[in-house]
Amino acid sequence: MSDQKREKIILIDGHSILNRAFYGLPLLSDSEGLHTNAVLGFLNIMFRVLDEEKAQYLAVAFDLHAPTFRHKMYDAYKGTRSPMPGELREQVPVMKDVLRAMNVPLMSLEGFEADDLIGTVSLAMEQKGLDVRIISGDRDLLQLASDTTMVRIPKTKKEGREVENYYAEDVKAKYLVTPSEFVDVKALMGDASDNIPGIPGVGEKTATKIIAEFHSIQNAYDHLDEIKPNKARLSLQDHWEMAQLSYRLALIDRHAPFALPLEQARLGEDNSSLYTKEAMDLLKRLELRQMVRRFADHMQTGPSALPARQAESSANPFEEQRADTDDTEPSGQISLPEESRHDGMDGFREQVYPSGEGSRTADEKSESSKKADEGAKNFRLIEDAAEAEAFLERAVKEEKIGLYVLEEDSRLLGAAVAAGAETVLLLPVTRKQLAILSSGSCLISGINLKEQLSFLDGGDSFPKEQQSRYFDCAIGAYLLNPLAGTYVYDGISSVYTGRLVETREELLGKKSLLNLAGLAEENLALMMSGSAGEKRTAKKQDGPADRESARQALTRFSCLNARTALAAMQPIRDSLEKEDMLRLFTDIEMPLMFTLYHMQQEGILVRGDELRRFGHSLSGRIDELEKAIWEQAGQQFNINSPKQLGTVLFEDMKLPGGKKTKTGYSTSADVLENLAQDVPIVRLILEYRQLTKLKSTYADGLVQYIAEDGRIHGRFNQTVTATGRISSTDPNLQNIPVRTELGAQLRKVFVPKDGSIFVDADYSQIELRVLASASDDQNLIDAYNSAEDIHAITASKVFHVPLDEVTPQLRRNAKAVNFGIVYGISSFGLSQGLSITAAEAQSYINQYFETYPGIKSFLDGCIQSAKTRGYSVTMFGRRRPVPELKEKNFMRRKFGERVAMNAPIQGTAADIIKIAMVGVDRRLREEGLKSRLVLQVHDELLVETEISEKDQVETILREEMEGAARLRVRLEIDMKSGESWFEAH
DNA sequence: CCAGTCACG
DNA sequence: ACGTACGTGACTGGT
């Protein structure tokens, strides 16, 4: 750090990056059929790194002979090298030409691989005092990492690009061995794709363990008798020569007879030496327009034309409102009523946005490689109760802490706390001890807090004054990128703190936390005393050493959770603020977390006996149907197998039906229904399907979830959907049947407890109302304000018939069009839904847009805005990235357009009901009622209501739901009460 | 572990 | 010239 003027060199592993680029991008070719995708990908990666690193030197290494090409995933499977595909092979010389034209030195040497040259040059550069960046897709190069040499591995992920960055300590953090030891590990475990044999019976885990302990193969061999897994010891003994050979193969030669003439590698000021006319011409010939544009920018306007990502984020429709509404005060209040309802709407109304790249991109997130977590050395375990309490007492006096409650199956095992520079795991810990935290006033940051709250609940169920003390990084990360999929500590750590850490699986494997916590004996004792049945021997008692390492891993895992939560809080908050989602987070999502927690705790009462009876009643009919189907088919087969069913119907019975899916015949309900309504077997199959579904998923399926208290405590997930909706799992309570007779019967087993009834309220066409309001289409708004039957009015206007002459058929069609609009209209989709031709569907759509012109321009605006910004936005600022809009593939781009139309509508509706839920939950509690919110089904809320509180509950539901947002049309609800969910809905 | 199917909004 | 409606989760069979 003292040397401000350290220079930096970037060394690229040419074939490896070209390979990555090739498989990371769809095939692409110029008009003469020459493929160019790998060249483009390579240049993209190279320029991204150059922009980030601001280096002074650049060189690229290639193997001299590349007769085969490694494709590791494939090779790992096949055990050999696969030949390089022609489409890639032809790009190698092109790539070299492009690089030459850019004055980039190409390094290669007879008898040496690119690895060796990079190893040699990087060593020489280190010794010269240069910082080194090695860019490769190959993990073997991690052995070259040091304090000044960073190995960067670009990864191609579903969403965007990421780079894994490794200094020596990052290698250590992630792989538990030093870079030089990494060679030994690799030698022991082998690598089929590199033809490194390794030692039989030794995989990654054992290899790591041995080297972590003995530091080298040689030393391990010298201490053979100390090697723990018996199998590994014998194997190493038997295959000593193989081990040595493997080591030589795995080791990169850092002393090849090669020297890079450094001046040839020098990049001009701001990389200007790269932007030559020759290169530009070549890129034009290759028709790589994106690159040509980049070159043009640089050659004309000079280096300052670099994309300035930071500047773009100010292109934000909320900018104006922020001045008066964004007071950053984490008021635990849901203060949406006046100001922000207003500002939300204005933001939504705006349809044409200034251009900008949009949300933070993958490389922005991952560009930085910070030091391997310095806190790691401070991770420790406290087992003593008094010491644990003392620690908690200290921690709670901090301004903020990171917390991770270690639990499994609703059992409290321990808790990790990050406070100041310290992070400890308290194991075991009691609820009473944890109460020290909840009674304090420090900020508590966690990851996935909802699942940990039950252990922090001091008995007051988190009143809203308390709620603002909590910060959930997972929820914040979800808002920032709802497509990420998972929000666990390792991902959050790398994205928001720049620290790469081991994953849960790497630390703990697949073992249960309970066993790792070493509480297994207790547990076993309980089980034995509880059930006097078979004698179970303790599951292979772990030796003390194993047990010790298990505890260490558990400590590290728990502490990483807590430390990441603490470290990521501010970056996440900053990002949320920057992206104008802080209020969404503070006023809607965080309060909602508590509401969902309450709902999960509450559960819903189910009549288990009735449910079982229902299941049995289905069995009889299912058996009958099965027999009848087999009889008609003339053979016995598994009706549940689409494959077998397809064969029977379309081959054996020769029913007309084309292939529809990739794997064979489609036997889905719509195919079957169209196919042959008059063929008896089809009706039987459809009924069979319905009944087996009902039985396996709903009757038998739900019974499994009934808890001791007779209730089902499902989970409501807050970080799953792309649009902002809540999802429901274990079990899914948002798809309980309702549309059929039997479905209705099923809903009768969901009942209120004694002395209560259900009050059920659902929004009337919330999405269409959102659309009316957002589009500001006067005709649709008038339609809503004047009358009740929106579909009939639409039919009347669209089909030009008087309102009282609208037939049910016409109304149905209009309703389908309304749905189609919300889904992101397409003539083909609509034609499917209505079983009409695409042309007819198109004319419906045209007439619809003529009737409601504001909708057309709104939807176009949605697409346009999502295209320029990269994401769509809801009324309350929630974002959904729509990367599909940039794709070349027509179909996927069209999909992107439908998403861009649907997401703001579905998402705004989701925002609104979330606001309502928080309001309902809070008022039920604050007004001292016993009634509780128990379910949410997207536009519906179900409250288990004390009979005496019915009127009050109905008032609350109506006020909170209808008042959740102020739209240009009324938000109406339908409300009913009853003795079961069926009756109330 | 994925594809197909079907339950809901 | 492309061949789908938007968003979910659970269960089954088959690789």
Side-chain angles (χ1 to χ4, degrees):
Chain A
M1 283 296 124
S2 59
D3 189 355
Q4 294 283 338
K5 291 197 177 157
R6 280 182 75 98
E7 292 195 305
K8 193 188 281 182
I9 182 167
I10 295 172
L11 301 172
I12 299 181
D13 184 350
H15 277 126
S16 166
I17 292 302
L18 204 55
N19 188 32
R20 278 277 149 137
F22 178 74
Y23 289 105
L25 287 178
L27 270 184
L28 180 74
S29 48
D30 67 9
S31 42
E32 289 171 29
L34 177 70
H35 291 93
T36 54
N37 64 329
V39 174
L40 177 63
F42 185 107
L43 292 173
N44 275 331
I45 291 172
M46 187 177 96
F47 278 117
R48 201 158 69 245
V49 171
L50 285 169
D51 287 346
E52 283 173 21
E53 295 284 0
K54 310 265 184 282
Q56 286 74 37
Y57 305 99
L58 168 70
V60 180
F62 280 97
D63 297 332
L64 208 49
H65 309 286
T68 62
F69 220 85
R70 299 177 205 166
H71 184 203
K72 293 233 164 172
M73 298 223 318
Y74 183 66
D75 289 341
Y77 175 70
K78 285 232 335 186
T80 60
R81 287 183 181 198
S82 52
M84 173 166 53
E87 296 89 343
L88 175 52
R89 179 191 299 270
E90 69 190 23
Q91 298 185 55
V92 175
V94 179
M95 188 71 245
K96 290 185 178 174
D97 284 345
V98 172
L99 290 168
R100 277 190 208 102
M102 295 167 74
N103 298 320
V104 177
L106 305 181
M107 309 187 289
S108 44
L109 182 65
E110 183 68 48
F112 292 86
E113 293 190 5
D115 289 3
D116 301 322
L117 299 181
I118 291 177
T120 300
V121 171
S122 64
L123 183 61
M125 295 300 140
E126 270 184 35
Q127 288 168 346
K128 273 194 177 183
L130 269 73
D131 282 336
V132 180
R133 300 288 176 267
I134 294 172
I135 318 300
S136 174
D138 191 344
R139 271 166 209 285
D140 297 357
L141 299 222
L142 290 181
Q143 61 185 274
L144 303 179
S146 72
D147 291 345
T148 54
T149 296
M150 175 162 81
V151 179
R152 310 194 59 177
I153 302 181
K155 299 189 75 176
T156 27
K157 279 194 166 176
K158 276 195 314 238
E159 300 308 328
R161 306 167 291 268
E162 277 197 37
V163 189
E164 289 188 4
N165 298 320
Y166 295 90
Y167 282 115
E169 50 193 343
D170 301 305
V171 175
K172 180 102 190 186
K174 176 118 191 197
Y175 294 97
L176 308 173
V177 295
T178 66
S180 70
E181 291 167 358
F182 192 77
V183 186
D184 297 78
V185 171
K186 178 132 194 235
L188 284 183
M189 63 187 265
D191 183 337
S193 68
D194 274 349
N195 290 322
I196 295 173
I199 303 297
V202 175
E204 181 177 348
K205 284 200 107 149
T206 318
T208 303
K209 202 172 157 190
I210 291 174
I211 298 304
E213 186 171 356
F214 298 100
H215 304 292
S216 73
I217 295 179
Q218 181 64 53
N219 191 46
Y221 192 71
D222 293 344
H223 298 80
L224 251 188
D225 43 342
E226 293 169 36
I227 293 180
K228 253 179 284 145
N230 241 327
K231 209 173 73 171
R233 181 178 66 237
L234 296 174
S235 191
L236 181 57
Q237 192 166 12
D238 291 350
H239 301 90
W240 170 235
E241 286 179 0
M242 186 81 94
Q244 286 180 307
L245 170 69
S246 294
Y247 181 82
R248 285 198 299 278
L249 288 171
L251 183 67
I252 291 175
D253 184 352
R254 305 198 75 171
H255 300 282
F258 182 90
L260 175 70
L262 194 53
E263 277 317 302
Q264 286 184 20
R266 182 179 284 280
L267 295 158
E269 186 74 13
D270 286 299
N271 306 330
S272 58
S273 64
L274 300 174
Y275 299 104
T276 66
K277 179 156 188 322
E278 292 89 329
M280 170 83 129
D281 291 343
L282 195 44
L283 294 172
K284 278 184 185 156
R285 285 227 305 278
L286 296 170
E287 297 163 23
L288 294 173
R289 296 176 44 205
Q290 188 188 333
M291 276 300 144
V292 171
R293 207 173 312 130
R294 182 189 181 98
F295 271 60
D297 284 352
H298 278 260
M299 294 167 75
Q300 283 163 18
T301 60
S304 61
L306 276 174
R309 200 187 304 288
Q310 298 84 337
E312 290 168 3
S313 70
S314 66
N316 194 305
F318 292 90
E319 206 65 40
E320 288 170 40
Q321 288 83 20
R322 280 186 49 180
D324 52 311
T325 58
D326 190 14
D327 47 10
T328 31
E329 198 71 27
S331 72
Q333 294 202 9
I334 179 129
S335 49
L336 287 164
E338 289 316 324
E339 331 85 38
S340 82
R341 275 176 189 168
H342 192 69
D343 76 349
M345 285 223 329
D346 287 350
F348 194 60
R349 202 187 306 158
E350 189 160 349
Q351 287 163 28
V352 182
Y353 300 106
S355 68
E357 258 308 290
S359 60
R360 47 197 283 128
T361 59
D363 40 77
E364 185 182 4
K365 287 183 223 166
S366 59
E367 114 224 355
S368 56
S369 165
K370 310 279 162 54
K371 289 193 254 159
D373 53 289
E374 56 270 15
K377 295 169 197 92
N378 300 330
F379 292 173
R380 62 189 171 92
L381 178 62
I382 294 181
E383 294 174 278
D384 177 77
E387 205 187 328
E389 286 187 27
F391 187 89
L392 289 171
E393 300 281 5
R394 278 207 311 283
V396 79
K397 295 203 180 82
E398 295 279 335
E399 182 199 343
K400 56 184 181 179
I401 61 172
L403 177 67
Y404 174 69
V405 178
L406 192 63
E407 61 89 35
E408 191 167 66
D409 299 333
S410 299
R411 300 171 54 136
L412 174 61
L413 304 177
V417 179
E422 282 187 293
T423 308
V424 303
L425 170 60
L426 314 174
L427 183 78
V429 79
T430 64
R431 283 170 190 270
K432 192 151 161 281
Q433 290 171 321
L434 284 182
I436 296 172
L437 294 180
S438 35
S439 62
S441 62
C442 64
L443 274 177
I444 297 179
S445 177
I447 300 172
N448 247 324
L449 277 173
K450 174 160 61 69
E451 307 312 314
Q452 303 166 37
L453 285 181
S454 67
F455 305 102
L456 304 171
D457 191 337
D460 55 6
S461 301
F462 306 100
K464 79 173 178 200
E465 312 81 65
Q466 282 292 310
Q467 292 181 3
S468 51
R469 291 181 51 212
Y470 294 85
F471 184 102
D472 191 327
C473 296
I475 292 174
Y478 164 71
L479 292 183
L480 290 165
N481 177 15
L483 303 184
T486 58
Y487 304 92
V488 286
Y489 73 94
D490 56 289
I492 290 176
S493 174
S494 84
V495 173
Y496 296 102
T497 76
R499 289 179 192 143
L500 274 181
V501 295
E502 309 93 308
T503 63
R504 174 185 182 139
E505 174 129 22
E506 284 163 348
L507 280 170
L508 307 179
K510 287 176 179 151
K511 294 204 189 92
S512 84
L513 295 177
L514 191 70
N515 278 329
L516 288 162
L519 306 174
E521 295 84 351
E522 257 175 61
N523 183 40
L524 196 66
L526 279 174
M527 284 173 51
M528 303 264 277
S529 68
S531 70
E534 50 192 319
K535 255 200 193 144
R536 297 184 47 198
T537 44
K539 241 195 185 173
K540 193 174 147 211
Q541 207 77 341
D542 281 339
D546 281 356
R547 185 178 154 150
E548 194 40 48
S549 71
R551 295 221 146 192
Q552 271 177 27
L554 198 64
T555 302
R556 184 161 176 79
F557 167 74
S558 308
C559 291
L560 278 173
N561 263 291
R563 175 56 53 182
T564 300
L566 182 60
M569 172 161 66
Q570 199 53 43
I572 289 175
R573 192 194 287 283
D574 290 346
S575 298
L576 288 168
E577 180 163 24
K578 185 173 153 223
E579 311 296 343
D580 277 299
M581 289 193 284
L582 195 56
R583 295 187 63 100
L584 176 64
F585 177 81
T586 327
D587 295 347
I588 299 181
E589 296 292 343
M590 283 308 298
L592 180 72
M593 179 184 81
F594 293 95
T595 294
L596 296 177
Y597 162 72
H598 291 145
M599 290 165 66
Q600 293 183 178
Q601 292 290 305
E602 205 63 39
I604 183 166
L605 184 62
V606 168
R607 298 182 56 177
D609 47 348
E610 284 296 325
L611 192 54
R612 272 181 279 266
R613 234 194 303 281
F614 180 61
H616 291 140
S617 76
L618 295 173
S619 302
R621 179 68 184 146
I622 289 173
D623 289 346
E624 278 176 31
L625 286 165
E626 186 185 55
K627 284 204 189 83
I629 291 166
W630 284 348
E631 185 163 343
Q632 303 232 352
Q635 58 182 312
Q636 293 195 359
F637 65 102
N638 189 338
I639 308 166
N640 286 318
S641 161
K643 192 179 167 185
Q644 293 182 34
L645 182 60
T647 310
V648 169
L649 290 181
F650 300 116
E651 287 179 12
D652 301 343
M653 296 185 70
K654 309 226 187 292
L655 293 176
K659 289 194 171 85
K660 211 189 149 194
T661 67
K662 301 165 215 175
T663 43
Y665 302 104
S666 169
T667 66
S668 66
D670 55 332
V671 171
L672 260 42
E673 275 159 14
N674 289 335
L675 169 77
Q677 200 54 261
D678 36 43
V679 183
I681 192 172
V682 171
R683 307 183 69 86
L684 297 177
I685 291 167
L686 289 169
E687 189 184 352
Y688 176 89
R689 283 248 178 93
Q690 196 205 346
L691 297 194
T692 52
K693 174 96 179 181
L694 230 43
K695 180 162 166 62
S696 64
T697 303
Y698 298 105
D700 302 351
L702 286 176
V703 165
Q704 319 271 117
Y705 287 98
I706 302 176
E708 307 254 311
D709 58 1
R711 304 173 75 96
I712 292 180
H713 301 265
R715 299 172 24 151
F716 291 100
N717 311 297
Q718 203 178 350
T719 59
V720 170
T721 70
T723 52
R725 276 189 174 180
I726 291 162
S727 96
S728 163
T729 51
D730 309 307
N732 184 350
L733 294 172
Q734 290 179 324
N735 72 344
I736 304 299
V738 67
R739 294 167 186 170
T740 64
E741 174 60 33
L742 283 165
Q745 226 172 302
L746 187 74
R747 286 208 172 192
K748 291 179 182 164
V749 309
F750 289 81
V751 293
K753 63 187 173 197
D754 274 355
S756 290
I757 58 165
F758 277 153
V759 177
D760 183 289
D762 64 287
Y763 281 110
S764 157
Q765 298 139 359
I766 186 170
E767 293 183 337
L768 218 48
R769 287 172 195 261
V770 164
L771 177 65
S773 180
S775 67
D776 203 5
D777 181 288
Q778 204 52 48
N779 287 343
L780 191 54
I781 292 173
D782 290 346
Y784 264 118
N785 287 335
S786 65
E788 53 255 36
D789 190 341
I790 193 67
H791 299 311
I793 296 181
T794 301
S796 157
K797 294 193 176 205
V798 168
F799 303 119
H800 304 112
V801 291
L803 189 54
D804 52 15
E805 286 175 29
V806 170
T807 62
Q809 173 67 34
L810 283 180
R811 185 181 179 280
R812 260 194 33 227
N813 290 359
K815 185 175 175 180
V817 178
N818 277 330
F819 266 92
I821 296 289
V822 168
Y823 288 160
I825 197 78
S826 80
S827 54
F828 243 92
L830 183 62
S831 71
Q832 287 283 296
L834 279 178
S835 306
I836 56 176
T837 68
E840 287 171 307
Q842 187 57 55
S843 90
Y844 285 11
I845 294 169
N846 294 342
Q847 292 175 76
Y848 187 94
F849 282 148
E850 255 171 58
T851 309
Y852 302 122
I855 301 222
K856 169 81 173 136
S857 53
F858 171 75
L859 294 178
D860 289 346
C862 284
I863 295 173
Q864 200 43 49
S865 138
K867 260 192 186 137
T868 51
R869 302 156 59 123
Y871 54 86
S872 40
V873 194
T874 70
M875 187 186 292
F876 295 91
R878 182 189 308 280
R879 298 181 179 189
R880 168 176 182 165
V882 194
E884 294 87 352
L885 284 172
K886 298 222 163 100
E887 290 194 29
K888 300 189 60 183
N889 181 297
F890 173 85
M891 206 211 81
R892 284 200 286 243
R893 214 170 52 243
K894 280 290 173 200
F895 171 72
E897 292 181 0
R898 293 197 296 274
V899 165
M901 293 187 267
N902 170 265
I905 303 172
Q906 190 182 122
T908 300
D911 296 343
I912 291 173
I913 195 162
K914 282 177 167 180
I915 294 167
M917 290 171 72
V918 172
V920 169
D921 180 42
R922 284 187 172 171
R923 281 187 61 187
L924 291 176
R925 286 164 196 278
E926 285 166 7
E927 295 178 20
L929 305 186
K930 289 184 180 161
S931 306
R932 291 290 177 257
L933 184 57
V934 293
L935 285 186
Q936 186 255 37
V937 193
H938 309 309
D939 65 354
E940 169 190 5
L941 298 180
L942 184 65
V943 175
E944 188 177 42
T945 304
E946 282 263 319
I947 288 173
S948 62
E949 300 173 354
K950 177 162 175 276
D951 290 350
Q952 213 174 338
V953 166
E954 286 176 350
T955 304
I956 291 174
L957 276 170
R958 188 167 297 283
E959 289 178 358
E960 295 301 324
M961 290 178 78
E962 295 187 343
R966 197 172 300 280
L967 303 185
R968 293 186 169 85
V969 297
R970 274 188 56 205
L971 275 176
E972 288 185 81
I973 62 168
D974 295 322
M975 190 156 53
K976 242 172 107 180
S977 61
E979 293 295 338
S980 72
W981 194 8
F982 167 72
E983 275 187 35
H985 188 61

